[in-house]
Amino acid sequence: MGFQVRREIPPHPRQAPELCISVKTPSGDCFEFPCYRWIATEKEVVLRDGKGKLPLDDKISLLKDHRHKELESRKQLFRWKEWHPGFPMSIDTNSSSELPLDVQFETAKTVNFYLNYITAIENLGLNELMKLFHSSWTDIADFRKIFMKIKNTVSEYVMQNWNEDLMFGYQFLNGNNPVMISKCMNLPDKFAVKQEMVERSLDRGRSLQEELKAGNIYIADYAILEGVQANATDPNTQQYLAAPFCLLYKNSHNDIMPIAIQLSRQTTAGVGNTVFLPSDTPHDWMLAKMWVNSSDFNVHQVVTHLLRTHLISEVFAIAMYRQLAAVHPVYKLLIPHVRLTVAINTAAREQLICESGLFDKANSTGGSALGEVIQKAMKTFTYKSLCFPEAMKARGVDNKEDLPNYYYRDDGMMIWEAIKSFVSDVVQIYYGSDEMVQEDKEIQAFVQDVCFSGMKNCPKNCEFPTFLKTREQLVEYLTVVIFTASAQHAAVNFGQ
């Protein structure tokens, strides 16, 4: 039996080169033994052939033993740790350099937030902006100074129209945080808005109650920020947080327009709360919208982005490494989507969201507020909220005719269905029946590790599966993992 070693050019500079051993038998059959990992100090490396194999497929005791030893070894490398009380569990390591080689970035500079921060300041010509941060802003025109080098059609359009109600409303659909808008059928008790306040904004000649019943009223509710103490890590800079309501109206032109904003929640009956309206003085209305955008930014950073893409993806990644052998087809399916998640999150805990990190220096939800907001968000975190179609239905925004021009939803649904279709094809190849899913001990251990370990700080009704009974359930679960780490993260990250 002869063999040859082939070293492939890595498809991405951050990925390890692929070492592949080809073995040709005397009868002419060829078997590929790829090594998708770094080889460092190991005295012995055991490779399986490249075909995906379920635990049930391994009939030989030697293969079963190798599979068991591999997972036991990984469980020592990928240990759970509670980095902060109430957070999803993360990897047990003190620094990026301690991470297993296979999940590290090649160089520390790759994920150096401080270096990237300084580079961005220089490349975008934002030195003038930095000067503005250290002194009082005296004019709205100061905003234009930060656009010295950001020159493209979109940014210039936003700069020209940022204060228009039409632009403000549109960003709830397709801005950085397109997950806050919900259909409003009944006004919250603490929201003091009345019919006479908004009737000038309702262009169909109906009352507010009639528009609520017709499904034309939407709301962005930042209740999660209520009672949260703003960042106080810098004694020289007072920071603030509001927990606003923002009422939005789908007018006869199908535009989403803000019609009322309330920044405080003083009493259960709404008495004593000021409601800002488009008919107020221009500066009052402008500042009310800016407060909403400030709250939206903080919820976006801490909940939508950090918690619901980065931290949950790390849970999926760690559970995958701990419970799925490298030869498992689901491991092969998931690893391209989550492999670098652990590294980026570890670097973030070292430099970005740690005490005195960049997040503390710049955001109202820095300091103790960060932990407080995530702890509150975890109390309502559910598995179904990660299922894109379910999330759209839960907010009452799933109907294209009711709410047109919601491209986040429309594109998201197409991507969700594409991922689900691909995952379904893979599952059908390896699982001939629902019983095969039930008998796959590694898959069942994977979902249990996610639920009982990674998401142990979720409430009991969080709906994370503890056992998958059907191929359909497996397809949905794997679609959630891939969609969260790829499409959802792209939607709420790259717009920044």
Side-chain angles (χ1 to χ4, degrees):
M1 182 179 291
F3 70 89
Q4 61 183 21
V5 177
R6 185 178 78 248
R7 185 178 293 275
E8 301 283 359
I9 297 174
H12 191 284
R14 293 179 188 168
Q15 293 181 0
E18 176 194 328
L19 175 68
C20 186
I21 298 174
S22 298
V23 178
K24 189 174 183 179
T25 68
S27 61
D29 295 326
C30 189
F31 296 89
E32 302 284 339
F33 293 83
C35 179
Y36 300 108
R37 52 174 295 187
W38 287 104
I39 299 175
T41 59
E42 296 93 333
K43 294 181 179 179
E44 180 183 78
V45 176
V46 180
L47 302 180
R48 294 283 298 267
D49 70 289
K51 294 180 181 179
K53 298 286 185 180
L54 298 175
L56 294 171
D57 296 329
D58 285 340
K59 308 298 184 183
I60 303 173
S61 58
L62 181 66
L63 296 178
K64 293 180 180 179
D65 186 56
H66 167 257
R67 199 165 188 140
H68 175 74
K69 287 181 178 178
E70 178 192 6
L71 290 177
E72 288 303 307
S73 174
R74 291 236 217 94
K75 287 174 185 176
Q76 296 302 313
L77 290 173
F78 294 88
R79 301 177 306 276
W80 294 109
K81 178 182 179 180
E82 187 176 50
W83 181 72
H84 193 285
F87 278 44
M89 299 290 277
S90 54
I91 193 166
D92 183 8
T93 184
N94 295 316
S95 67
S96 296
S97 61
E98 295 179 5
L99 288 172
L101 274 178
D102 290 334
V103 297
Q104 285 189 29
F105 283 105
E106 285 194 14
T107 65
K109 289 183 178 179
T110 306
V111 68
N112 189 314
F113 289 101
Y114 287 98
L115 181 64
N116 293 342
Y117 176 70
I118 298 301
T119 302
I121 294 295
E122 294 172 350
N123 290 347
L124 297 177
L126 300 183
N127 293 310
E128 189 65 29
L129 173 64
M130 297 304 292
K131 295 177 185 177
L132 289 170
F133 277 142
H134 295 288
S135 61
S136 296
W137 294 23
T138 57
D139 196 284
I140 295 300
D142 284 342
F143 283 112
R144 297 188 180 277
K145 294 179 182 179
I146 73 170
F147 281 86
M148 291 179 290
K149 288 189 179 180
I150 307 176
K151 297 294 182 183
N152 61 61
T153 303
V154 174
S155 67
E156 290 179 355
Y157 181 84
V158 172
M159 187 63 220
Q160 293 165 7
N161 298 277
W162 69 272
N163 198 27
E164 299 296 326
D165 287 356
L166 182 62
M167 172 61 72
F168 179 84
Y170 178 83
Q171 289 184 326
F172 282 99
L173 300 179
N174 302 304
N176 285 341
N177 194 30
V179 302
M180 295 301 297
I181 187 170
S182 299
K183 182 167 285 188
C184 183
M185 304 304 292
N186 297 287
L187 295 172
D189 291 340
K190 293 184 179 181
F191 200 177
V193 64
K194 305 294 182 185
Q195 157 67 24
E196 58 271 17
M197 296 178 180
V198 299
E199 58 186 356
R200 292 171 57 182
S201 298
L202 309 178
D203 68 357
R204 293 184 179 88
R206 300 172 182 166
S207 68
L208 177 58
Q209 283 301 319
E210 289 171 334
E211 292 287 21
L212 284 164
K213 189 175 181 180
N216 293 322
I217 302 296
Y218 293 83
I219 194 169
D221 185 349
Y222 298 89
I224 195 168
L225 297 178
E226 184 176 8
V228 176
Q229 294 298 311
N231 184 9
T233 57
D234 180 2
N236 298 317
T237 305
Q238 178 68 49
Q239 299 197 45
Y240 303 89
L241 276 173
F245 295 109
C246 181
L247 204 63
L248 302 151
Y249 174 57
K250 187 190 74 172
N251 64 22
S252 58
H253 301 290
N254 284 326
D255 296 323
I256 296 296
M257 305 291 285
I259 59 173
I261 292 171
Q262 179 178 300
L263 301 179
S264 59
R265 302 170 184 238
Q266 293 180 9
T267 66
T268 55
V271 179
N273 293 307
T274 300
V275 177
F276 295 90
L277 306 167
S279 57
D280 290 342
T281 63
H283 284 133
D284 282 347
W285 182 236
M286 178 192 71
L287 286 169
K289 289 187 293 182
M290 291 174 75
W291 271 103
V292 172
N293 276 338
S294 175
S295 298
D296 190 76
F297 164 80
N298 281 289
V299 172
H300 165 260
Q301 289 291 336
V302 178
V303 181
T304 309
H305 185 203
L306 175 60
L307 173 61
R308 296 184 63 84
T309 65
H310 279 265
L311 299 186
I312 183 61
S313 291
E314 182 174 5
V315 168
F316 290 135
I318 294 173
M320 179 200 73
Y321 281 113
R322 287 169 53 83
Q323 305 299 345
L324 299 181
V327 74
H328 199 295
V330 170
Y331 180 95
K332 294 174 180 288
L333 176 67
L334 296 184
I335 193 168
H337 305 285
V338 300
R339 191 178 73 84
L340 299 177
T341 298
V342 176
I344 191 75
N345 286 4
T346 301
R349 286 187 285 268
E350 286 182 283
Q351 305 172 29
L352 190 63
I353 58 174
C354 59
E355 186 176 349
S356 301
L358 280 176
F359 201 86
D360 273 7
K361 299 179 188 300
N363 298 290
S364 301
T365 43
S368 62
L370 174 69
E372 191 174 350
V373 173
I374 286 187
Q375 287 167 359
K376 292 176 75 172
M378 284 288 284
K379 291 178 181 178
T380 58
F381 201 137
T382 65
Y383 167 73
K384 284 297 182 181
S385 70
L386 297 173
C387 300
F388 195 76
E390 298 278 351
M392 295 301 105
K393 289 180 183 178
R395 290 191 286 115
V397 295
D398 54 310
N399 191 306
K400 289 185 179 182
E401 294 183 3
D402 283 353
L403 186 61
N405 307 318
Y406 193 10
Y407 306 123
Y408 163 75
R409 173 202 59 206
D410 300 341
D411 292 351
M413 284 301 299
M414 288 191 291
I415 297 170
W416 172 271
E417 291 302 326
I419 294 172
K420 184 178 179 181
S421 175
F422 176 70
V423 169
S424 180
D425 288 346
V426 173
V427 168
Q428 293 296 327
I429 290 171
Y430 291 97
Y431 296 90
S433 65
D434 291 341
E435 287 73 23
M436 290 183 68
V437 174
Q438 297 168 23
E439 293 169 7
D440 188 340
K441 293 181 180 180
E442 289 183 12
I443 280 293
Q444 303 302 343
F446 169 54
V447 299
Q448 289 165 13
D449 212 8
V450 168
C451 179
F452 295 129
S453 298
M455 299 301 289
K456 72 173 190 177
N457 288 322
C458 272
K460 291 183 179 180
N461 61 347
C462 66
E463 302 172 342
F464 274 86
T466 60
F467 192 84
L468 300 179
K469 296 181 179 180
T470 66
R471 287 173 291 179
E472 184 180 2
Q473 289 177 342
L474 176 59
V475 167
E476 181 186 71
Y477 197 94
L478 300 180
T479 303
V480 163
V481 176
I482 295 173
F483 185 88
T484 301
S486 59
Q488 181 64 15
H489 179 261
V492 302
N493 175 68
F494 295 125
Q496 298 178 98

